[in-house]
Amino acid sequence: MQGHGHGQPAKKPPHLAVLVLLRVLFVAAGFLSIGFLAWAMLLRLAAVTRRPLDWGLFVTALFADIAAIVLVANDPSDDASGIGGTLGMCLVLITLASATTYYLIAEIRHYGRREREFTARSVPAYGYPGPATPAYATPVIPTMPVAPAMSGMPTPPPTAPHTPVPGPPPVVPPPHRPAPARIDQVRAELDELSDYLRKHDGQHDGRREDGNGR
């Protein structure tokens, strides 16, 4: 059972150089035949595209060339300069110009569309892995053995690791605390001053009373 997303493989279009060579050959055949082989370009286009429109244009160009040949052949003049010959040549030239222009444009678009479809189908769809690439083993490179040191060469003594000398520890200032002795001293001085003031006021009041009694 096939999974979704796997369509029919797209056919790769011919190389661009081959397409250009075929276009040059068919256009040259139409011009070298003075337009009487213009139907060959449309036959090539109809065989490539296989569209009903292109087959109808091929049949139209073929009948136009046959009609032009009949008109030129039935012209009574020797150099086909009569009305029939002139109409026949005009019909051939118009068919040649129209067939060449349409053939080149339609074929270039057709192969351009096929090239885009082939490129789009060549890319793996989302969710489906592309072709797996073979895994290659990583070569192991053998390591070369280390040659032993020569016995005659003196072995340098191992150097002791350098130990940094510790410096003096930083001095941390002691936290500032209020001195209780200073507070007690100030309190005592305030008490003495209060006692002195009370004594001084008592002496001053006694002297005033003595003076009043005299």
Side-chain angles (χ1 to χ4, degrees), residues 127-210:
Y128 294 91
T133 56
Y136 297 95
T138 305
V140 179
I141 302 175
T143 58
M144 298 297 294
V146 181
M150 298 180 63
S151 60
M153 298 296 293
T155 304
T159 57
H162 177 70
T163 304
V165 179
V171 179
V172 180
H176 180 71
R177 295 180 180 178
R182 180 65 179 170
I183 296 175
D184 295 340
Q185 183 181 0
V186 173
R187 185 179 300 171
E189 291 178 356
L190 291 176
D191 293 341
E192 292 177 359
L193 180 60
S194 299
D195 295 339
Y196 174 76
L197 291 176
R198 284 197 298 270
K199 291 179 181 181
H200 180 72
D201 292 341
Q203 292 178 0
H204 181 69
D205 293 339
R207 291 179 182 176
R208 182 178 301 175
E209 291 176 357
D210 294 338

Side-chain angles (χ1 to χ4, degrees), residues 19-66:
L19 296 177
V20 171
L21 179 61
L22 290 175
R23 292 164 191 167
V24 170
L25 291 177
F26 278 95
V27 172
F31 277 89
L32 292 177
S33 63
I34 318 175
F36 289 103
L37 293 179
W39 54 267
M41 293 182 284
L42 299 178
L43 175 61
R44 151 77 180 173
L45 180 62
V48 169
T49 61
R50 298 181 181 181
R51 295 190 307 175
L53 175 63
D54 296 332
W55 286 109
L57 293 176
F58 157 67
V59 174
T60 303
L62 181 61
F63 277 107
D65 287 340
I66 293 175

Side-chain angles (χ1 to χ4, degrees), residues 75-191:
D75 189 78
S77 61
D78 297 335
D79 54 355
S81 59
I83 298 177
T86 303
L87 291 177
M89 293 305 299
C90 290
L91 183 61
V92 167
L93 295 178
I94 292 174
T95 303
L96 175 62
S98 303
T100 303
T101 303
Y102 180 77
Y103 163 69
L104 293 176
I105 294 176
E107 189 180 71
I108 290 173
R109 288 181 177 178
H110 172 73
Y111 281 109
R113 182 171 59 255
R114 284 185 55 183
E115 182 70 26
R116 290 191 298 270
E117 292 177 357
F118 175 77
T119 305
R121 292 190 179 185
S122 299
V123 178
Y126 179 78
Y128 294 91
T133 56
Y136 297 95
T138 305
V140 179
I141 302 175
T143 58
M144 298 297 294
V146 181
M150 298 180 63
S151 60
M153 298 296 293
T155 304
T159 57
H162 177 70
T163 304
V165 179
V171 179
V172 180
H176 180 71
R177 295 180 180 178
R182 180 65 179 170
I183 296 175
D184 295 340
Q185 183 181 0
V186 173
R187 185 179 300 171
E189 291 178 356
L190 291 176
D191 293 341

